[in-house]
Amino acid sequence: MQREEKQLEAALDSLLQRIGDLKMSIQSLIMKLECDSRLNWPSVLDSYAVISGQMNTLLKVMKNDKTPPLRNLICLPLMLNPDIDEELRQMTEDRIKSLSHEVTPDLLRTKPDPDVEQRTNQFEQRAMQVAPEPAQKQINALNKVVGHVLDQIQHSRDDWETEANVRAAASQTSNANDTHALIAAVGLGKNLKPIPISVPPQPGILIVFLQIITKFIISIVYQVQAGNFPSNKRNCKVQSLLYCWYHYQTAAAAAKSKKNSINFASQSSRKARRAADGAGARTTVSVSA
């Protein structure tokens, strides 16, 4: 008796583990179908393959020789209680909170509901009323349609695989890194060198100071020339100094203008000489001709 109980306990633990794995796979598939916006058909097929493998493993465990026949065992509640049972709630993951008179008949039912059973019997009777020959014709027509659909699916699958192979074999004409770098440069200005902006040089403090002093001295010279400056010994020295500065500025301006005129005259003479040389060359060519 104890041996059978141990075998039953081990079999139930194994079944619960397999059922838990199967439940997790089904939940994962439902989450993919409801929440994954990038879901594709190969991913769904992989999920179905996992579920199919887990179902086969569960059936193998149930058909194992060490597993006692579960159909010979009966599960009955020892007591019905409308109050919430925490242990039952944890075991069923909040699906069943208590074994009450409302829940127990549905949980222990071995047959469908009376309404469902009645509709099932009606469908079976309607199917039995069909003659064998029309039923066979309908079956053949349905098989023909299903076969045609399968052929179309297989043909489309072959075309898709061929296109995928052609795309994989084609040489790549772009570089993903370069594309991302170009987008970042255009959109965000990444890795772009700034254009240097030339700023005109500002005069130094000494030059500005000399310009101010020059303007001040020139204004004083104008005042002296106008006779607005008082005449005494100190002012005579200032006047002589200012006159010297004024004459220096005048001489410098005259020298600069003379230099410019000399440069202009030299350029004019060079142009005239070049013109004369060109005319002489043309005359020589005409005489020789």
Side-chain angles (χ1 to χ4, degrees), residues 74 76 95-96 126 163 198 285:
I74 300 175
L76 293 175
R95 289 191 297 271
I96 301 174
R126 187 180 299 176
E163 291 178 0
S198 60
V285 171

Side-chain angles (χ1 to χ4, degrees), residues 12 30 48 59 95 97-98 123 128 153 255 265:
L12 290 177
I30 293 173
Y48 277 121
L59 293 175
R95 289 191 297 271
K97 298 180 180 180
S98 63
F123 291 145
M128 293 296 293
I153 293 173

Side-chain angles (χ1 to χ4, degrees), residues 166-174:
V166 170
R167 291 177 182 176
S171 59
Q172 188 175 2
T173 58
S174 63

